[in-house]
Structure formats: structure tokens, C-alpha cells
């Protein structure tokens, strides 16, 4: 039986995510095991996750996942290309995943494969520079340079990066795409499904009853929100010089950007004000949010390894245990199940885990009632009830 791999944030886990897991199993023939690579406490939009990673892993296990492992922050909070490369590297490293399943607006592999080939073509960089030189935004320039209309849709775009990552890694994992259901990426509810962004908006506004029909379980307790750390982030940004901005990952040192960011940080009175002052057609909000948060967390481009150096288990069920037993023979990376095992790491792996512990400590400030430090070293994986 083939084992499926899925990459997700589950921020929050909703009916669309449950449908994706079920549809993946249906296409693979019934009861295929599912391994999820899930972002931790900081996500690709450049913000904190709504709930901690152990709660989100538990919800995924409850609705079909068998094993949930963490995509470390340096990749979880990166551009689509780096996000995909880190996640696919982890799935490949497990040695137990046969199929990578992802949602897309097209629901078909062929146009995504064509776009991936175009982005990897030798003349693509020159075509991209020409498009940028005409004043197009980076997403528009990328789409034009690749000649791929499908890149205008966010899930298609990420799917293309999964395909590129599989090829770059020489992986034998087979791609499978399923059509995204209902609501658009940032749109309102439709067809019985709501987007994660719409659900976050409702939950943070205290309108949980409106979100409930689209979730797989009720949400309760305090939710994390960037508003609780806004001044702390601004304080960090105000201390940064151009060299500090240039050292950030994913393009902080792009031509002309460090000086623009430093100036915006000195003048801004809120994070939204900072984004507005720094934004240009070439540097959209999402990229600026990631750079600001990377600055706050202390991420540096030079400190990110080429690929995640360990596999951190966030949650597992009965079949997840069986997969872990197989991984003893198939996974070349250290597999961390209990936090104490992280103390046996060395080199870049130990440095990354220690940094992740710090990112979790800062995440604790995002709640109305701040959480104490040390959570990364005390949380064991959640255990699902499914066999």
C-alpha cells in the first residue's frame, strides 16, 4: 500500500483539509497511511499561527493523519520555493512516503508540470529580468516569464514549487494533485467550505459560531494574534541598519531594499504602516511581512541549512507508530520523538532545534495571557485515538 505525504499549515484545520486527506486516500485505494509535514508556530504569511502546533497536529490526527512532523520555522516562514524545498526534503528523508498529494486550482498535473519546466528553463532568469525591468510586480513578472497562466493561482503556484523540488532532489515520490474545494484562497465561504484566512478572521473576531460549520471541531481557549507583539516587533525593526536587513533570508538583500526597509522602520508607527511605507510593485505585502517577522525572530540567511537536518514528530496515531518503526531503517536524519532526544543532536541540527525553542518562547507572547518559556523542551508528541 502506498503512503501519502501532505504539506500543510492547518491554520486552522478545517473541512477542506479533512476532504483533502479523505480524497487522497480514496485515490490511493482505501486506507493509505498519511504523513503530514506541518508548519510550526510561525507561518508563511509572516505571522503567528492561530493555535500552537500540538493542538493543530491533534486536530489533523483526529481527521485522518497518521503521522505529523514539523516543518521548521526557517522553511515554514519562507518564499514558496524555499517552503516547498524544505517540506519535500523532509518527506523524502522519511523514506516511507510514496506519493505527494497537494491541492490545486487546476486539479490536473499537466499544466503545473509545464510551468515547472518553464521556471527551470535556462532562459527563464533573463526573461524574468526583462519583465521586472518593465515595472511588473514579481508575481506578474514570474508568470509572464514562464508563460504559465496557472501561476496566477496561489495553490497552483505552490504545487509547481513542489514539482520543482521533487525534480531538484531527484526524488522518486510521485506527485498527485486534487482540485481545491469551495472557497478561494482568501475568499468567503462557498460550497460548504471556507478558506483558512476567512476562518482566522472570524475566530479572532470572536465569531466562532459563524466559523463552526466549516471546522471539524469546536475551537476554545485563547488564540494567538500578532497584535500582542506588534510593539515588540517594531522595537526590533527600529534597531536595524541596512546590513541587518541585508542578512535576512529570502531576498532581504535585494537591490535597494535594505535602505528602503531601514527608512520605513524608522518612520512607521505600526506594522501595517511599515508594510505600506516599504511596499512597491516589486515587493508585495507577503514578502515584507516575512522579512519583518524574520527580523523579530532573529533569522539569518547564512544560518539556514540547505535542508532540514532532523525530523521532529508532533503527533502520531497507531499507524504512525508503524511508520516510525520503518523509518529506523529508511530515514538518514535524526528522528526526534521525545524532546530529550534533541539534546543528543550536534552541529547544525542542535543549533536549529535550540533556535526553534527560542521561536516557540517568542510565540508564547502572542497570546492574551503570555505563556512561559521552555515549551519546546517539555512537549511530547500528541497521540491520536485512531488506530
Amino acid at each position: 500500500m502506498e503512503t501519502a505525504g501532505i504539506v500543510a499549515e492547518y491554520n486552522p484545520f478545517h473541512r477542506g483539509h479533512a476532504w483533502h486527506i479523505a480524497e487522497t486516500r480514496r485515490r490511493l485505494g482505501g486506507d493509505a497511511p498519511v504523513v503530514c509535514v506541518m508548519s510550526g508556530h510561525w507561518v508563511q504569511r509572516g505571522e503567528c499561527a492561530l493555535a500552537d502546533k500540538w493542538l493543530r497536529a491533534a486536530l489533523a490526527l483526529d481527521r485522518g493523519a497518521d503521522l505529523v512532523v514539523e516543518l521548521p520555522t526557517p522553511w515554514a516562514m519562507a518564499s514558496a520555493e524555499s517552503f516547498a524545498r524544505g517540506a519535500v526534503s523532509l518527506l523524502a528523508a522519511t523514506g516511507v512516503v510514496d506519493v505527494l498529494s497537494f491541492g490545486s486550482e487546476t486539479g490536473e498535473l499537466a499544466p503545473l508540470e509545464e510551468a515547472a519546466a518553464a521556471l527551470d528553463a535556462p532562459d527563464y532568469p533573463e526573461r524574468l529580468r526583462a519583465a521586472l525591468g518593465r515595472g511588473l510586480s514579481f508575481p506578474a513578472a514570474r508568470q509572464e516569464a514562464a508563460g504559465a497562466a496557472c501561476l496566477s493561482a496561489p495553490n497552483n503556484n505552490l504545487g509547481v514549487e513542489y514539482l520543482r523540488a521533487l525534480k531538484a532532489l531527484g526524488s522518486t515520490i510521485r506527485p498527485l494533485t486534487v482540485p481545491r474545494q469551495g472557497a478561494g484562497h482568501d475568499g468567503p465561504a462557498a460550497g460548504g467550505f471556507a478558506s483558512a484566512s476567512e476562518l482566522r478572521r472570524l475566530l479572532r473576531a470572536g465569531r466562532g459560531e459563524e466559523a463552526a460549520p466549516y471546522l471539524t471541531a469546536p475551537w476554545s481557549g485563547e488564540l494567538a494574534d500578532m497584535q500582542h507583539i506588534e510593539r515588540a516587533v517594531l522595537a526590533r525593526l527600529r534597531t536595524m541598519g541596512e546590513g541587518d536587513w541585508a542578512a535576512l533570508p529570502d531576498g532581504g538583500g535585494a537591490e535597494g531594499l535594505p535602505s528602503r526597509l531601514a527608512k520605513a522602520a524608522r518612520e512607521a508607527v505600526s506594522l501595517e504602516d511599515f508594510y505600506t511605507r516599504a511596499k512597491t510593485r516589486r515587493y508585495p505585502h507577503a514578502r515584507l511581512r516575512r522579512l519583518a517577522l524574520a527580523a523579530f525572530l532573529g533569522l539569518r540567511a547564512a544560518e539556514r541549512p540547505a535542508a532540514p537536518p532532523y525530523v521532529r514528530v508532533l503527533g502520531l496515531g497507531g499507524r504512525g507508530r508503524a511508520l516510525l518503526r520503518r523509518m529506523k531503517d529508511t530515514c538518514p536524519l535524526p528522528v526526534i520523538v521525545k524532546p530529550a532526544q534533541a539534546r543528543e543532536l550536534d552541529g547544525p541540527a542542535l543549533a536549529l532545534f535550540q533556535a526553534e525553542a527560542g521561536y516557540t518562547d517568542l510565540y508564547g507572547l502572542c497570546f492574551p495571557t503570555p505563556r512561559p518559556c521552555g515549551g519546546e523542551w517539555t512537549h511530547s508528541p500528541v497521540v491520536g485515538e485512531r488506530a
Side-chain angles (χ1 to χ4, degrees):
M1 181 182 297
E2 291 184 307
T3 296
I6 290 174
V7 182
E9 291 182 334
Y10 294 151
N11 183 37
F13 191 93
H14 56 64
R15 289 182 57 193
H17 296 133
W19 181 89
H20 178 204
I21 292 175
E23 178 65 7
T24 297
R25 276 211 173 91
R26 187 189 70 80
R27 295 193 180 201
L28 295 183
D31 205 26
V34 173
V35 178
C36 294
V37 172
M38 190 188 78
S39 301
H41 289 141
W42 304 97
V43 296
Q44 199 191 17
R45 295 174 69 95
E47 62 184 28
C48 59
L50 193 69
D52 71 55
K53 55 193 177 186
W54 296 285
L55 173 57
R56 287 158 39 232
L59 292 171
L61 292 170
D62 184 59
R63 294 307 296 263
D66 296 298
L67 180 66
V68 182
V69 302
E70 180 176 13
L71 179 61
T73 297
W75 292 272
M77 210 191 67
S79 66
E81 182 176 0
S82 297
F83 178 95
R85 181 65 69 92
V88 172
S89 294
L90 276 175
L91 289 174
T94 67
V96 300
V97 173
D98 305 294
V99 177
L100 168 57
S101 175
F102 59 90
S104 67
E105 286 83 2
T106 68
E108 299 178 359
L109 279 176
L112 306 181
E113 291 172 332
E114 292 172 5
L119 291 173
D120 287 330
D123 64 342
Y124 168 73
E126 181 179 347
R127 293 164 64 90
L128 178 64
R129 284 192 295 271
L132 290 171
R134 297 201 307 276
L136 295 178
S137 67
F138 181 81
R142 182 171 178 268
Q143 180 180 335
E144 179 180 298
C150 67
L151 292 176
S152 64
N155 291 279
N156 285 345
N157 187 57
L158 191 53
V160 166
E161 294 301 336
Y162 292 143
L163 297 177
R164 295 180 70 203
L166 288 171
K167 180 181 177 181
L169 294 169
S171 176
T172 59
I173 294 175
R174 174 172 65 87
L176 168 69
T177 189
V178 298
R180 182 183 174 91
Q181 295 297 298
H185 183 69
D186 281 322
F193 297 91
S195 67
S197 57
E198 173 70 2
L199 292 172
R200 288 192 298 272
R201 183 184 68 80
L202 292 172
L203 290 168
R204 283 177 171 145
R207 296 160 61 185
E209 70 285 353
E210 296 177 49
Y214 308 104
L215 299 170
T216 61
W219 278 60
S220 60
E222 295 184 333
L223 302 178
D225 196 310
M226 290 292 290
Q227 66 175 332
H228 299 298
I229 60 167
E230 180 167 18
R231 290 201 176 188
V233 176
L234 286 172
R236 172 62 184 139
L237 302 190
R238 289 186 176 193
T239 68
M240 295 180 61
E242 292 184 22
D244 300 313
W245 287 107
L248 297 178
D250 289 319
E255 183 179 355
L257 186 55
S259 60
R260 185 179 186 89
L261 293 172
K263 181 176 185 294
R266 290 193 299 271
E267 297 173 347
V269 296
S270 69
L271 283 178
E272 195 58 43
D273 187 28
F274 169 76
Y275 305 143
T276 299
R277 290 175 183 274
K279 184 179 183 297
T280 67
R281 288 176 61 84
R282 189 166 182 176
Y283 306 126
H285 262 65
R287 183 176 181 182
L288 297 173
R289 287 196 301 267
R290 287 195 294 269
L291 288 171
L293 187 52
F296 174 66
L297 296 177
L299 295 175
R300 295 292 181 270
E303 297 170 358
R304 184 171 72 190
Y310 56 75
V311 177
R312 172 75 187 281
V313 177
L314 296 177
L316 70 162
R319 291 191 305 182
R321 293 189 184 89
L323 290 170
L324 283 178
R325 288 194 291 271
R326 287 177 55 193
M327 286 168 58
K328 290 180 179 179
D329 299 321
T330 62
C331 182
L333 300 179
V335 179
I336 302 170
V337 181
K338 299 290 186 180
Q341 294 173 305
R343 302 188 186 280
E344 302 171 8
L345 300 173
D346 57 16
L350 177 59
L352 177 62
F353 193 93
Q354 290 173 330
E356 198 70 60
Y359 306 148
T360 291
D361 291 342
L362 291 174
Y363 176 73
L365 297 175
C366 295
F367 291 88
T369 304
R371 298 181 176 182
C373 294
E376 201 69 37
W377 297 100
T378 59
H379 264 92
S380 293
V382 294
V383 177
E385 298 180 359
R386 296 176 63 255

